[in-house]
Every structure is written in structure tokens, then in C-alpha cells.
Amino acid sequence: MQEIRKTVCNRDCPDACSIVATVEDGRVVRLAGDPGHPITRGFLCYRTSRFLETQYSPERLTTPLLRKGGELTPVSWDEALDTAAERLLAIRRESGPAAIFHYRSGGSLGMLTGIADAFFARFGPVTVKRGDICSGAGDAAQLADFGEEDSHDLADLKNARHILLWGKNVFTSSPHTLPVLREARARGAELVLVDPVHHRTASLCAAFYQPRPGGDFALAMAVARVLFDEGWADPRAADYCDHLDAFRALARRRSVAAWCSDADVPERAALDLARRLADRPAAILVGWGMGRRTTGGAIVRALDALAAVSGNLGIRGGGVSFYFKRRGAFDVSAFGGDRPAPRTVCEPLFGQEVLRMSDPPIRAVWVTAGNPVAMLPESGAVAEALATRELVVVADSFLTDTARLAHLVLPTRTLLEADDVLGAYGHHYLGVATPVVPPPDGVKSDLEIMQALAPRVGLGGALDGSARDWKRRIAEPRLAPFGITLEALEREPVRNPLAPEVLFEDRKFPTPSGRVNLITEGPEEREDPDAREFPLLLMALSTEKSQSSQWARPQQGPAVVTVHPDVAGGVADGGLCRIVSRVGAMTARLRHDPAQRRDVALLPKGGHLRDGRCANALIRARTTDIGEGGALYEERVRIEPIAPADLREPPP
């Protein structure tokens, strides 16, 4: 007999889709999107619609693994937790809690993954991460400019006359924004894409401009200069913007032609974009990738400034959207502690900092909802850092690159077994993840793991409570005043009542002055010493086939690198080549694409190190100008042909 059950996807994706699962004899046999959800609208992405292959993979972990004699060996939960408790207590006693590093990432965006934070805040506090590998620069930019980081209601795009998709590939990264964009276009809105990479989003757009990688700041300054020179800036901008004169002076440091030359776009691009911004309302959707440069914060701040001076803040159909405040409806104070962490590790510099830290050194690393070896730059250094610790514990459903280096692997639940509450960073709807099937015997949730560990280390019942108790504790303090209970969230999707439909409608901003803090200085100009030896900028991009390092299907053979045919170095389309950077090399299969720029090499994001497909093995660990994000798109590479004798597939 079949039964229909619903849950919400908890993976690191902006859409947080509502899933309809068909269950038969205790097994999920079909996944579909919830047609009643305002955002999901009945369809799922490639990654999630094929998740049953992952759910029922023979490689799924269903028992703890403890390293004995160099090998990961199945053990009971009691032995696993007793071992973890014994080693954590010994390290804390001998070196203090700063010698323990808890690393939590976004492999699950459920609020209850914060229970691991609660444990380590009470056990220590221990060393924790700072910065954000994905969005650190953009987060810091919007907080500096506006004092807040949120967006208009997603449906408000239908009120726009123009929508500037600046560095945003909605087909891959925000597929449930597509119907809204199509509806906006049907109502007369014109879409424009600005991106150094050519992708399917261009097919939706009336215009497509392809600046050099990192040329977005220069292009934004050219647009700003046109706005000022043509008198198209909002005449009331001085009423709600600080530093307007300084921003105008910054834009006028160069001519429009000079700025556009720097961006490697024709002058008509700046004129067209300025005209569209002046023809209000115009919305800017900011792609996350632009922030992953050494100048990422300055780029996002420049786009914030364009929205402000053009008069597109606080009006329907306007705004500049980088992020939706996914935690804004929830009270996560219970996950914090009474004392601050004794020290922090910068996430993009994970390998370097863990290896370097002393007094005390990092002796133990606990990884929650993450795969840092695959997803952080300088994968080799991250792997070395973990391989040289006394204790590495990883909670995961599979033997990832990171889990393979662990001393203890604790099997945890998948998205179809999750019991949690979620917000989204691509819209304002809230959801409840409810297990559509129970986890296999031997698998525990993060909550169950920490609750079982707490009494073993002297924390008693500090984390007691069922998943439902914790969901209520997180959701109701802020939502109950609006009449929204946990039961209401379980019945249907609820829009966050704390999120305005139009952000900054009163043009009051939670900055120190109550006004927009416009950028006044551009990024430092510098020569790239690697440009001659390594002529291509490597960009490891999201793909519809994986969610970070979680692939819908196992990947076979070498990764595919895409370049313009003119820079293929004589390697034929479909041929094998070597990608070489300052820090590593990788065998790949070359794909020619004449629509791409001649200065980029494109790889899929999230490849596994053990398979020789990990782009981060080629990328040096560097941070962005603000926010301590990862400057992931600054690495230069070259393409080398492989001699005929070496034309063979790498071993699996």
C-alpha cells in the first residue's frame, strides 16, 4: 500500500524545496515536488529528483566506524561514543578546550544541526570557525552598506521593469526563481545577464554582457558614472545615502570608456545598464560567485551603491538581492554559550591555520555537516591538517574525502530522514522537515548523537528534549506572536511574517547613521604575476549534477574542463589534458566552447579528491577583501597536452 508523505530538502541550496515522497512497504519509491508549495510548484531539481539513488546506495553508512590498526572498523555506538568522550575529555584536561576545533558547515541547513554548537559551547567553549567560504564577502558588504542582509519578497520581481542578473545562473543555482522570472518577463520586464561565463540564463535575457572575471567593479563604476553624468541618479539620494559625493568622485576617477576598457565590455553595456536602472523599478539579483574573489566585497558594495543611487531601494520591483535571511524567523540562542570561543579558525584558511596553530595546537577536529577536504581551497593542506591530528570525528552518511581521514565516523541521517525546521536563502517561506521513512538501524541524528555524548562528558541532560521539543523551542519564540505555532508550520508552508515584502520601504536602514553607507574607495589595483605563465582563470562552478560535493550519481573518469577553442593549447575537443596551477595539477577531459571568454577555464564544483576531480586541489587558500570569504576564483591555470603514451584514464 502506498502512502504520501511530505518533507523539506535541507541541503545547501537557496530553494529549500517541499518534497512529496511516495512510500511503499517502508521504502520511498518516488520523489516529486509539492504542487501546493508557493515556491516549489511541483518540480524538483535534477539533484533531488534522483536522490533515491543516494538514499539507497550500498555505500550508505549504517554503523559507526572506528580506526583500529590504521583501518576504519565497524563498532557499536557505545564503543564509538565512549571512545569520543574519553579522547575529548583527555584533550581538554591536558591542553584545554581550545585544542578542540568544531567545524560545522552547510551540508544540512536544518536549524537542529546547531545542537552540535550547543554541545561544544557547553563542553568548552572550543575553537570554532570564522568567515564563510561561500558568502563571506557578500554578507559583509551588505551588512556594511545597509546594516541588514535580506531581500524583497521573491514574487516582487513581477513588479520590476528590468531585472539585472549580475553573475547569477538561475538554471543551476536558483531553479525555482525561474518561474518568477518568466512571469515577470510575461508582464513586460526585461532581463539582462552580466557574467564572464556564458550559460543557459542568457537565453532568458534581452541582453548579455560578458566582462572579464573580476571586471564587475569597473563595470559598476562605469554605470554609476553614466547615472551621474546623464542626471539619471535619484535626486533624493542624498536624503538616505551617506558619502554620496565621495561615491560620485570615485565613479568619476575614470571616464566611462576607461572603466569599460578595464571591464572588457563595450561602452554601450554601461549605457544600457544605467538606462535600465534609471527606468525604475529595476531589481539587481547578485550572484554569489562574484564575492569569491579577492575584491568580492568591493564588487557587491558597488552593486549595492548602484541600487541606492538609482533610486531602486525601498520600492516595489526594485532592490538588490544577495541573500534571504533564512534564520530570521528562528530563535537559536539556545545553541550559544555563556562565554565566547577561545579562538577561531578562518574557514578558507582551514588547512594553513590548523597546521600552524600552537599553544595549544589543535589536537582534535569534529566535523558536522561538512566535507572540508573537497570543499575548501588547498585540499592537500586540509587533508594534511586532518591526517596529522590525534582525533578527527566526522558525522556523515557516506565515506567522503573528509570521513576517510577520520578516526571515528558517526553515521547520520539523510534529508529524507531529517526531523527539523528550515528557512531558505532564496525565498521567505519556512518549512518543517519530517522523516518520510525512519533511518536505517544504526543511524542517529545529530541531536541523538550529541544527547548520547553529553552525559558521557559530564554535561548530563543539558541537551535533553525530543526533536519536536527543540523545533518548538527554535520556532515559536519569534513566530508565536504572529499566531504561528509548530503545528501551523507542519500543516502548510508559512511565509516568514518578520520579513517585509519590500525591504527598506521607509528608506530607514539599521546602520549607525540610519542611511546607506556608500562605498568610497575602489579595490587596490595590482599586477597579476602569474598571468603570463598561467593565462586562464580557473572557475569551479556549481553544476546541476551535484549539491556541493553531494553528487546525484557517481562520477566516472576525469573531470571536464571547458575553455574557448582558441586557448585549448592544441588539445582536441574531448581530448585529455592536464590543468596546472601553482599548487597542483589535474588530468581532465577538455571541452571546447566558443561562447566562453578566452581567459577562463571552467570546472565543476565539488569534485572528490580521491577521484582526482577536486578543483580545490588546484586553488590556493586566500581570503576576500572583507568578510573572510574564500577567494576561490583567483587561481590561474594553464592547459597542457598529454603525450600520446599517457592518454589513459586515471584509475577509479
Side-chain angles (χ1 to χ4, degrees):
M1 181 177 177
Q2 290 189 342
E3 184 178 351
I4 301 300
R5 299 173 187 169
K6 292 184 180 181
T7 190
V8 175
C9 182
N10 64 9
R11 293 190 292 179
D12 188 2
C13 171
D15 293 352
C17 291
S18 179
I19 298 171
V20 177
T22 303
V23 180
E24 185 174 337
D25 297 328
R27 186 180 177 93
V28 185
V29 296
R30 183 173 179 270
L31 297 177
D34 183 356
H37 192 281
I39 304 299
T40 307
R41 300 195 195 189
F43 77 93
L44 297 177
C45 68
Y46 177 98
R47 299 168 285 240
T48 305
S49 62
R50 288 158 177 79
F51 188 75
L52 292 184
E53 297 178 38
T54 300
Q55 176 73 17
Y56 296 114
S57 167
E59 296 183 3
R60 173 84 189 272
L61 298 178
T62 58
T63 186
L65 302 175
L66 179 63
R67 193 170 296 279
K68 295 182 177 182
E71 299 292 330
L72 287 170
T73 304
V75 296
S76 69
W77 271 102
D78 281 339
E79 183 176 354
L81 293 170
D82 288 346
T83 300
E86 178 186 347
R87 294 302 304 136
L88 289 172
L89 287 167
I91 291 169
R92 186 181 68 175
R93 181 176 61 253
E94 295 163 4
S95 301
I100 300 166
F101 172 31
H102 176 227
Y103 175 81
R104 179 165 69 88
S105 192
S108 168
L109 297 184
M111 292 295 113
L112 263 62
T113 58
I115 199 71
D117 297 341
F119 173 89
F120 284 106
R122 288 155 178 78
F123 181 75
V126 303
T127 297
V128 297
K129 76 169 187 175
R130 70 179 191 276
D132 189 285
I133 188 66
C134 292
S135 61
D139 297 338
Q142 292 225 309
L143 290 172
D145 294 338
F146 305 135
E148 176 65 289
E149 187 184 19
D150 206 346
S151 298
H152 290 220
D153 190 271
L154 186 62
D156 184 57
L157 288 171
K158 290 184 280 189
N159 296 316
R161 289 182 178 172
H162 304 276
I163 302 172
L164 277 55
L165 299 160
W166 206 307
K168 198 166 187 72
N169 182 350
V170 288
F171 278 92
T172 296
S173 299
S174 301
H176 288 84
T177 302
L178 277 168
V180 183
L181 294 174
R182 288 184 170 123
E183 289 165 18
R185 194 172 62 167
R187 294 173 63 162
E190 289 195 344
L191 279 58
V192 178
L193 176 63
V194 180
D195 203 314
V197 178
H198 181 275
H199 46 76
R200 284 180 66 194
T201 304
S203 66
L204 297 173
C205 297
F208 170 43
Y209 301 112
Q210 206 168 0
R212 67 171 176 84
D216 307 274
F217 181 86
L219 177 55
M221 289 300 103
V223 174
R225 171 132 198 182
V226 173
L227 288 171
F228 289 125
D229 289 355
E230 297 296 329
W232 293 346
D234 182 4
R236 297 170 296 171
D239 296 339
Y240 55 87
C241 292
D242 284 331
H243 317 304
L244 181 61
D245 289 342
F247 176 67
R248 183 188 294 111
L250 173 62
R252 286 179 168 163
R253 286 182 187 175
R254 296 184 184 178
S255 66
V256 173
W259 283 121
C260 287
S261 176
D262 187 2
D264 196 23
V265 296
E267 286 186 63
R268 60 179 171 79
L271 296 170
D272 181 44
L273 293 170
R275 176 185 62 80
R276 293 176 186 276
L277 287 169
D279 185 28
R280 297 183 290 269
I284 303 176
L285 304 190
V286 182
W288 299 294
M290 282 185 300
R292 298 167 192 165
R293 307 193 63 84
T294 53
T295 58
I299 291 170
V300 177
R301 294 200 68 195
L303 301 185
D304 289 348
L306 287 184
V309 301
S310 64
N312 281 295
L313 293 183
I315 63 172
R316 292 190 178 276
V320 52
S321 174
F322 178 77
Y323 184 81
F324 288 73
K325 198 173 180 179
R326 70 179 182 88
R327 300 180 187 87
F330 301 120
D331 180 359
V332 295
S333 59
F335 296 150
D338 298 330
R339 294 170 294 153
R343 63 181 177 183
T344 58
V345 170
C346 178
E347 184 174 24
L349 306 181
F350 181 117
Q352 297 176 7
E353 293 200 355
V354 169
L355 287 167
R356 186 173 63 240
M357 279 185 168
S358 59
D359 197 26
I362 296 291
R363 296 175 59 186
V365 180
W366 187 296
V367 178
T368 300
N371 183 9
V373 172
M375 296 311 302
L376 299 186
E378 284 190 38
S379 293
V382 177
E384 180 187 357
L386 293 175
T388 52
R389 299 311 97 186
E390 297 173 36
L391 176 68
V392 175
V393 183
V394 176
D396 210 303
S397 302
F398 293 89
L399 274 180
T400 64
D401 285 329
T402 302
R404 289 170 184 268
L405 296 171
H407 301 93
L408 181 60
V409 183
L410 304 177
T412 193
R413 297 190 183 197
T414 68
L415 68 90
L416 295 179
E417 301 152 6
D419 200 353
D420 217 326
V421 289
L422 296 102
Y425 63 93
H427 57 80
H428 284 126
Y429 279 87
L430 312 174
V432 175
T434 304
V436 297
V437 287
D441 291 340
V443 170
K444 293 183 184 293
S445 67
D446 293 295
L447 176 62
E448 291 167 332
I449 292 170
M450 292 306 172
Q451 287 179 334
L453 188 60
R456 286 174 160 87
V457 298
L459 294 181
L463 306 179
D464 281 358
S466 66
R468 188 173 183 79
D469 294 335
W470 277 96
K471 290 192 288 187
R472 194 180 302 280
R473 189 180 304 179
I474 291 167
E476 292 191 352
R478 294 183 181 177
L479 295 175
F482 296 91
I484 301 171
T485 61
L486 178 60
E487 288 76 13
L489 291 174
E490 290 171 334
R491 283 194 299 271
E492 60 185 0
V494 174
R495 189 185 180 279
N496 178 7
L498 296 164
E501 291 192 6
V502 176
L503 193 62
F504 310 130
E505 195 164 19
D506 58 0
R507 288 200 169 151
K508 301 295 183 184
F509 303 86
T511 57
S513 69
R515 295 147 60 92
V516 177
N517 177 34
L518 294 176
I519 187 171
T520 59
E521 291 294 332
E524 181 182 352
E525 297 180 26
R526 59 183 181 84
E527 292 292 325
D528 191 335
D530 291 336
R532 184 178 296 275
E533 186 178 355
F534 301 94
L536 306 177
L537 276 162
L538 178 64
M539 300 178 71
L541 305 176
S542 296
T543 165
E544 71 279 2
K545 301 297 177 61
S546 75
Q547 196 60 53
S548 296
S549 64
Q550 300 177 48
W551 289 79
R553 289 176 172 165
Q555 298 298 288
Q556 303 296 325
V560 175
V561 59
T562 301
V563 300
H564 191 283
D566 290 354
V567 296
V571 180
D573 188 20
L576 289 178
C577 67
R578 195 176 312 282
I579 314 169
V580 181
S581 75
R582 285 283 184 201
V583 294
M586 176 193 298
T587 298
R589 191 167 297 283
L590 196 70
R591 174 176 173 264
H592 292 185
D593 184 355
Q596 302 304 335
R597 289 181 55 95
R598 291 170 173 81
D599 53 5
V600 298
L602 312 178
L603 272 173
K605 169 184 170 181
H608 296 167
L609 184 64
R610 67 179 181 270
D611 296 333
R613 301 173 60 94
C614 182
N616 279 318
L618 305 177
I619 298 172
R620 282 172 285 184
R622 288 177 280 190
T623 56
T624 53
D625 47 358
I626 55 176
E628 292 191 299
L632 302 173
Y633 291 167
E634 290 292 334
E635 197 65 51
R636 286 191 167 274
V637 298
R638 64 173 179 263
I639 301 295
E640 295 180 351
I642 295 178
D646 294 330
L647 287 178
R648 56 183 179 269
E649 299 284 346

